[in-house]
Amino acid sequence: MDESAAERSGSARLVLYVSPDSHASLKARTNLAAIVERYGPDRVRFEVCDVSREPLRAEQDRILYTPTLVLKSGPPAWIVGDLSDRGAVAQLLRLVGIEETS
Amino acid sequence: MKLTEVTKLTTGVPGLDRLTHGGIPEGRATLVTGRAGTGKSILALQIAAHLAGQGMQPLVLAVEEPPEDLAVTGNTLGFDLSGLIDAGKMRISDATRPMSGPVVVAGEYDLGGLLHRIAATVKETKARVVILDSVTALFSPRPPQELLRSLFFQLVHALREMDVTALMLAEAEEAHGALTTLGVEDYVCDMVLVLRNTVDGERRRRSIEINKYRRSAHYKGEYPCTITSKGLAIFPMAVGRALPSTQDRYSSGAPGLDTMLAGGLFRDSIVIVRGPTGSGKTILAGLYAHAGASRGERVVYHGFEEPQPMLMRNFDRIGLPMDKLYEKGLLRVICRYPESTGLEDLLVMLRDGIEEFQPALVVLDSISSIEHATSQKGFRQFMIGVASMLRETGRGALLTQNVRVGTDREAEPPFLSTISDAIVNLDYEMERNTLRRTLRVVKMRGSEHDVRPARLVITRGGVRVEPDVALASPAEEQLASSLSGLRVLVVEDFADARESLMALLTRAGARTMAAGSATEARQVLAADGAPDIIVCDVGLADEDGYSLLASLRRSGGPLARVPAVALTAWGRPEDRERSTAAGFEAHLVKPVEPAILVSTLLGVARTARPPDLSGRIVGP
């Protein structure tokens, strides 16, 4: 597998697609914030995209379900769901060579 | 939108709008289910193209295959989806899952992404219709049942909020099993269409069924459909009707027959000519076609039994030249073997022929060759399709049907009786080494007609239908009052046969009572008391005539002594023995000559259970 610049630099870029008034989306935001905190903002950067405000972006990323976490650096990977299973995020980040520090 | 009234969007799919009484429910969800390969996507794209043409700006969500693939499918069928998309009249949106990379499900989720995308496009293009191909793919991997139910409900609810008409496709595992694989969709949809594609013997058979249509009338049952080069086509229509829609009559082509029909056939009636090989069916069909074309009407003759040159030569040989009419463009003769053409293709061929040639009359010679090329169910669907098409387009038709010599009328599938306005039975018998052909008008809906058997004489250039002097006349004279004063109960489950029997008995002066089943016979006997004679068909639907009579004989009351005559298709010695054992005085094999029926009835009425009468058998 060829390594991307992001991987070598040791940082990951994520987009979390959410919809308003969605319980699962709200939970995902909270869960993701907590997870990222453990990695440190310099290693994992994330952005939240509200599909109701930016439907075109959701279309481009072919988002059907919310919340969906999309890995934007490295190989394509998605996680659908509220991220209550933190292991899934850890696994996703491992794809770009980022391991939990503690 | 009013709650009580369903407004509909036409689909443009041939036959479907008729079947649904106007189309799919506007502002509601319609589900199309079926196994893979039943034509769900084709149906959806066809509807999309039609609605695009109506300015409904359909939005198709391609979940299962990429938009380009769907567009190609549609273009191949002539829907010109690419053209419609380029013109901004419709849109196909890519809702496939990213092909590469893992998709992990971790925790709860909803359909927010899809719904906001739909909402944005609906707002942008002013789409009035949203098509999801398919919901099965949308919920794959399949979430737990509870979540699935709530997600699907969320979807339908959101689409309703957007006030769009939804068309959702769903996969089914079996043709006649659960409606959908997911098992949740039909509850929240106002209409459910089921597409089927089954192999019947060696033939493929497609059908469509409206499983449900909330608050709307619709046609029930499976209707044959086919996928042509122009998309899906359905052959619906109600098959039965009270009367031919016009009282206008025209000649059957056989002068004597017109007299028996009290002036000819009704303008757009369907007539079935039944008879064994060599009884004159094709000649009558030829005369019918010839007479029509000679009147200047267009006629299409579908020959399923022999190649065209042979058919034309045969007409030529009997002095019925078709060439001139053919050259004038009034007659079209199409010969094809049903075995080599699928039944759906045959229906399409008939439909295309009607649309393009616009014939006034259609001849199918014979429908038996279609019957033999498929199963009973396939034949039934085909005939319903044909009848629907003829009714829909208001064409007159003559269909020939092959039956055995001295055939049992019960062998006739009841649906053929339903679709026909008139039935003419042909038969023949050997009389002193001469073939004598007979003709009988069994049924003529909405008209007087002569029910007496007639002779069919084939002459050069036609036929002569004349009263059968040898048969009918002396019997008629005897008939006049021979049974007068007798009360006869007729038990026969086929209405046509029952009616002709009762007509005959009435002419002979008898007073008749009728029952269509063993149960009904018991009711009639209980209500009206014992008749003088019982004439009983053996093959009844609920209980056979043997068992009915045996139970009457055992009853010990007045009914135990009423003379009875068995009417049956079977004349083997063991059948006669069964009749005698059950307590019948006589055993007659259908079709029975009126004179013999009357003399048998007289015989059994005079003598109490004379055993020798069972020897008076007619028929084979």
Side-chain angles (χ1 to χ4, degrees), chain B residues 302-378:
Chain B
H302 290 276
F304 299 132
E305 307 215 310
E306 49 202 341
Q308 189 181 347
M310 196 190 287
L311 183 71
M312 298 295 264
R313 209 161 46 234
N314 287 346
F315 284 136
D316 223 28
R317 204 156 45 213
I318 58 165
L320 201 61
M322 300 285 197
D323 305 0
K324 286 230 166 60
L325 300 169
Y326 196 78
E327 280 158 23
K328 276 191 199 164
L330 289 167
L331 176 71
R332 183 176 283 189
V333 179
I334 302 166
C335 290
R336 197 171 292 208
Y337 292 105
E339 289 87 352
S340 60
T341 318
L343 292 194
E344 285 77 17
D345 294 339
L346 214 53
L347 275 176
V348 172
M349 196 181 84
L350 296 179
R351 177 186 281 271
D352 287 351
I354 288 176
E355 274 178 11
E356 182 236 334
F357 187 55
Q358 293 289 330
L361 304 177
V362 178
V363 175
L364 302 187
D365 180 29
S366 71
I367 56 171
S368 304
S369 37
I370 293 154
E371 189 173 6
H372 299 144
T374 181
S375 67
Q376 198 56 32
K377 195 176 175 194

Side-chain angles (χ1 to χ4, degrees), chain B residues 521-538:
Chain B
R522 290 202 175 86
Q523 287 164 356
V524 171
L525 290 169
D528 300 344
D532 296 310
I533 303 175
I534 297 172
V535 177
C536 186
D537 175 31
V538 170

Side-chain angles (χ1 to χ4, degrees), chain B residues 158-187:
Chain B
L159 291 170
R160 198 177 286 183
E161 289 281 284
M162 292 178 216
D163 197 22
V164 293
T165 303
L167 190 65
M168 300 195 259
L169 312 190
E171 197 109 321
E173 252 150 50
E174 297 164 63
H176 290 91
L179 274 178
T180 69
T181 312
L182 298 177
V184 300
E185 302 95 321
D186 54 309
Y187 301 107

Side-chain angles (χ1 to χ4, degrees), chain A residues 57-87:
Chain A
R57 244 181 109 183
E59 179 116 15
Q60 277 155 4
D61 265 342
R62 288 191 267 168
I63 301 303
L64 299 178
Y65 315 102
T66 45
T68 298
L69 183 66
V70 179
L71 179 64
K72 296 298 271 186
S73 51
W78 285 258
I79 298 175
V80 170
D82 61 18
L83 308 179
S84 50
D85 173 9
R86 295 183 182 198

Side-chain angles (χ1 to χ4, degrees), chain A residues 19-20 22-25 27 51-52 55 58-59 61-67 76-85 88 95, chain B residues 63 93-117 120-121 137-140:
Chain A
S19 45
S22 153
H23 181 62
S25 293
K27 263 168 76 181
V51 293
S52 69
E59 179 116 15
D61 265 342
R62 288 191 267 168
I63 301 303
L64 299 178
Y65 315 102
T66 45
W78 285 258
I79 298 175
V80 170
D82 61 18
L83 308 179
S84 50
D85 173 9
L95 287 174
Chain B
V63 190
S93 175
D94 191 351
T96 59
R97 238 72 63 75
M99 292 301 272
S100 55
V103 175
V104 177
V105 177
E108 274 178 61
Y109 61 91
D110 52 47
L111 282 173
L114 176 71
L115 295 178
H116 284 289
R117 282 171 59 185
T121 312
L138 188 60
F139 298 114
S140 168

Side-chain angles (χ1 to χ4, degrees), chain B residues 150-204:
Chain B
S150 102
L151 288 176
F152 191 74
F153 186 77
Q154 184 195 4
L155 170 68
V156 173
H157 182 73
L159 291 170
R160 198 177 286 183
E161 289 281 284
M162 292 178 216
D163 197 22
V164 293
T165 303
L167 190 65
M168 300 195 259
L169 312 190
E171 197 109 321
E173 252 150 50
E174 297 164 63
H176 290 91
L179 274 178
T180 69
T181 312
L182 298 177
V184 300
E185 302 95 321
D186 54 309
Y187 301 107
V188 281
C189 290
D190 275 32
M191 180 186 196
V192 178
L193 284 172
V194 182
L195 290 174
R196 294 190 178 94
N197 178 5
T198 50
V199 177
D200 172 9
E202 283 162 19
R203 294 234 166 270
R204 195 154 284 285

